[in-house]
Amino acid sequence: MTDRSQRQAPRLLPILLQAFVLAVCLAFVATEAWRLADSHRQAEAGAEQDMSNLAKSVSRQAADSLLLADGVLTGVVDRLETFGVQPVGELNAFLAEEVERSSRIRGLFVYGADGRWLASSLRTMPAGQNNQDRLYFRHHQRFDDGRSYLGPPIQSRSDGRWIITLSRRYEDADGRFAGVVLASIEAQYFADFYADFDLGHQGVIALVGQDGVIYARSPDNEGNVGRSLAATDLFRRIRGHHDGLLAYRSPVDQIERLSSFRRVDGFPLMVIAAESRNEVLAAWRKAAWVHGTLTLVSVLLCVVLGTWLARQLRLRELAESRMAQLARTDSLTGLANRRAFEEVLENEWARAARQGTSIGLLMIDVDDFKSFNDTYGHQAGDLCLKRVAEAVRQCARRPADTPARYGGEEMALILPGIDLQGLGEMAESVRLAVLALAVPHMESRTGRFLSVSIGASLTHPRSREDAEARDQLIRAADDALYDAKAAGRNRVALAR
């Protein structure tokens, strides 16, 4: 691994940590969302199953009630066709006894061919009543099919209550229409039965005819019996089906419900059992709120922890970077130190060998620095070195140019990819930059101001790992520096 990749690897750790935390949070949120969606489906599916079972049970109860009434009607018709209506007193007692034996039948009535009341299970029979106008009476006048007829809910003429009627035709000895026998069941009987089921505050069970008329409903039976749903979307969706599941908005109270509907076997009726979607999902919403809050808190904690850890990694990386920088930096001048100089020279040497380019080196020495220290003191000497180092740094304008403090008052400048002419020009610019500082040096042998001598060498590396050749480059620059000193200082000498 290269030095650059080694430096970049730690920098990726905070990013990788944040990516990992984000992935964990997303996975956590996705899992919780899937769990909530699944529990939502299960809640609705459970409610639909409950409603399906309830609709089956209620439809069976409705069928049993009507079959019981039909059985009683059949017995009354047989009696009438065998023994006739007379005596009326005995017939009334018989009808009352039949009603007494069944808690489902409210009343039994016998009407003549002209619609007059002939007998009933009531204690007192209203005088002058005639039911010739009733739909069930006209039906039996027209049809001789031997079957019972379930009429729409009507209000009783005896007490005004809503009743469901089941009737049969009876005939005289010559097979002619002799009248109608009718059994009535209170709509409230079904509503009271439905009320025993716990469907929450907004649940509904309704008994509806195939024409859309409501026969019974719990709750609010009296306010809905006789109402037609034929024009509603609800009835259009269930018409023609034997049973099924349905989510709908009620045309009665506008409440959204989950329901099951089922035909009543043997009769033109259907049962609708429904629960409010809001109540079905109440427990789910409560659990979703709790789990959602916990998930949010967990995600926030994870994000906070991940952010804190990433920040700690960055701080640690910054501290390590600073320590590494300090370990590679000369504390006085801020230039690369001897160790960093050697590392950079090795890396640039390998790159030059790989790319077939050159590498140049300047060795820079402050002229008469010992006498400067002796004359102006060590603090002034340190300040002098700082100013010289800054001048060298200002001349190293290319990104790869690396100034370094080689030791004492000696500095170096590594110049990758430079030619011989450029090398000389760079060395001269450094020399002039130091002179331009105009640092007084009264003990200098070259003039009144501080100056530097520079040795320059250039080579084309052949091998990436040739340490001896690198040393030769340094020795050549040192030799050139010695030549510059010997020639009178404050000058540049190129290696021979």
Side-chain angles (χ1 to χ4, degrees):
M1 181 181 292
T2 66
D3 181 69
R4 183 178 180 181
S5 63
Q6 288 175 340
R7 292 196 302 270
Q8 288 179 340
R11 298 176 185 175
L12 292 175
L13 290 178
I15 299 175
L16 292 176
L17 176 61
Q18 289 179 316
F20 175 75
V21 170
L22 178 62
V24 170
C25 291
L26 290 176
F28 192 39
V29 170
T31 300
E32 187 61 23
W34 178 86
R35 193 197 66 79
L36 288 176
D38 186 61
S39 61
H40 183 279
R41 288 191 296 269
Q42 290 181 5
E44 289 194 344
E48 290 172 346
Q49 184 61 48
D50 291 342
M51 292 304 98
S52 179
N53 293 336
L54 180 58
K56 188 182 299 184
S57 175
V58 171
S59 67
R60 187 176 296 117
Q61 183 268 346
D64 290 344
S65 299
L66 295 172
L67 286 173
L68 175 65
D70 189 48
V72 172
L73 287 178
T74 301
V76 174
V77 168
D78 287 343
R79 179 186 175 97
L80 291 172
E81 291 181 346
T82 302
F83 302 105
V85 177
Q86 301 299 331
V88 175
E90 291 184 9
L91 182 57
N92 287 340
F94 172 74
L95 297 178
E97 183 179 349
E98 289 293 325
V99 170
E100 187 69 23
R101 288 192 302 172
S102 173
S103 60
R104 308 187 188 193
I105 300 176
R106 175 179 179 271
L108 288 170
F109 305 88
V110 178
Y111 308 111
D114 56 359
R116 289 182 302 109
W117 289 39
L118 300 181
S120 78
S121 60
L122 303 179
R123 292 183 179 180
T124 58
M125 190 166 58
Q129 290 286 0
N130 192 296
N131 281 30
Q132 192 174 16
D133 61 325
R134 293 294 199 186
L135 181 62
Y136 58 81
F137 193 90
R138 296 200 302 271
H139 173 83
H140 290 301
Q141 277 184 319
R142 294 174 57 194
F143 299 103
D144 179 16
D145 54 9
R147 300 170 60 184
S148 59
Y149 174 75
L150 179 68
I154 57 175
Q155 288 183 291
S156 171
R157 283 175 172 160
S158 60
D159 57 15
R161 295 184 180 182
W162 282 100
I163 58 174
I164 299 171
T165 61
L166 189 67
S167 57
R168 274 185 176 272
R169 167 191 173 118
Y170 72 93
E171 299 174 346
D172 58 18
D174 296 325
R176 292 174 301 185
F177 175 70
V180 174
V181 179
L182 179 136
S184 66
I185 303 175
E186 282 194 37
Q188 191 62 43
Y189 162 77
F190 290 103
D192 291 342
F193 177 75
Y194 302 157
D196 290 338
F197 296 97
D198 183 11
L199 298 181
H201 298 293
Q202 297 177 330
V204 167
I205 303 177
L207 186 64
V208 182
Q210 288 188 355
D211 56 357
V213 174
I214 297 176
Y215 279 61
R217 186 181 190 270
S218 176
D220 193 22
N221 182 68
E222 293 298 321
N224 286 285
V225 174
R227 178 176 180 173
S228 176
L229 303 177
T232 65
D233 178 66
L234 167 63
F235 189 75
R236 284 194 293 269
R237 292 169 66 186
I238 65 178
R239 178 185 295 161
H241 298 280
H242 181 270
D243 57 68
L245 299 170
L246 184 68
Y248 70 97
R249 184 173 294 278
S250 171
V252 175
D253 52 23
Q254 304 306 310
I255 294 175
E256 191 175 357
R257 292 188 172 93
L258 300 174
S259 72
S260 176
F261 63 91
R262 190 177 187 86
R263 296 282 180 182
V264 177
D265 292 339
F267 297 92
L269 295 171
M270 68 178 66
V271 169
I272 302 174
E275 278 188 294
S276 162
R277 182 191 288 270
N278 186 54
E279 291 181 340
V280 167
L281 298 177
W284 174 84
R285 280 194 298 272
K286 183 178 179 180
W289 187 88
V290 172
H291 285 280
T293 301
L294 292 176
T295 299
L296 179 61
V297 171
S298 301
V299 168
L300 288 177
L301 288 176
C302 190
V303 169
V304 170
L305 179 60
T307 303
W308 181 82
L309 288 175
R311 184 173 182 273
Q312 295 305 308
L313 283 175
R314 288 194 183 95
L315 291 175
R316 178 180 176 181
E317 178 185 322
L318 182 60
E320 291 177 348
S321 176
R322 287 176 178 173
M323 291 178 63
Q325 185 66 23
L326 288 174
R328 295 168 52 85
T329 304
D330 177 64
S331 60
L332 177 63
T333 63
L335 301 181
N337 59 19
R338 180 69 173 268
R339 175 185 175 186
F341 168 81
E342 292 175 351
E343 290 178 359
V344 171
L345 182 59
E346 181 180 356
N347 292 334
E348 293 298 338
W349 185 278
R351 180 180 299 140
R354 184 173 61 252
Q355 297 177 354
T357 57
S358 64
I359 184 168
L361 178 64
L362 300 183
M363 299 299 288
I364 307 161
D365 187 75
V366 179
D367 294 330
D368 298 317
F369 184 71
K370 183 178 183 304
S371 60
F372 185 93
N373 261 346
D374 293 340
T375 303
Y376 300 102
H378 289 290
Q379 289 185 343
D382 290 345
L383 180 59
C384 168
L385 290 178
K386 288 181 181 179
R387 297 187 66 183
V388 171
E390 184 60 28
V392 175
R393 181 186 291 110
Q394 292 296 327
C395 292
R397 294 187 177 91
R398 298 183 307 167
D401 295 347
T402 305
R405 186 180 182 187
Y406 196 74
E409 70 274 17
E410 191 173 359
M411 300 176 193
L413 181 56
I414 301 172
L415 301 167
I418 197 168
D419 57 18
L420 190 60
Q421 180 179 349
L423 182 67
E425 291 173 353
M426 177 64 76
E428 186 63 20
S429 67
V430 171
R431 187 186 71 80
L432 293 176
V434 173
L435 281 178
L437 295 175
V439 177
H441 187 0
M442 303 309 297
E443 300 299 322
S444 174
R445 284 173 282 182
T446 62
R448 294 182 299 121
F449 299 107
L450 188 74
S451 64
V452 293
S453 297
I454 303 173
S457 62
L458 180 74
T459 189
H460 288 77
R462 303 300 180 189
S463 171
R464 297 172 58 182
E465 304 298 334
D466 194 346
E468 183 177 352
R470 289 198 303 272
D471 291 340
Q472 288 177 355
L473 176 68
I474 297 172
R475 284 197 300 271
D478 269 334
D479 291 343
L481 175 60
Y482 176 80
D483 292 342
K485 292 283 189 180
R489 297 177 175 81
N490 189 23
R491 65 190 63 235
V492 174
L494 296 177
R496 295 187 294 273

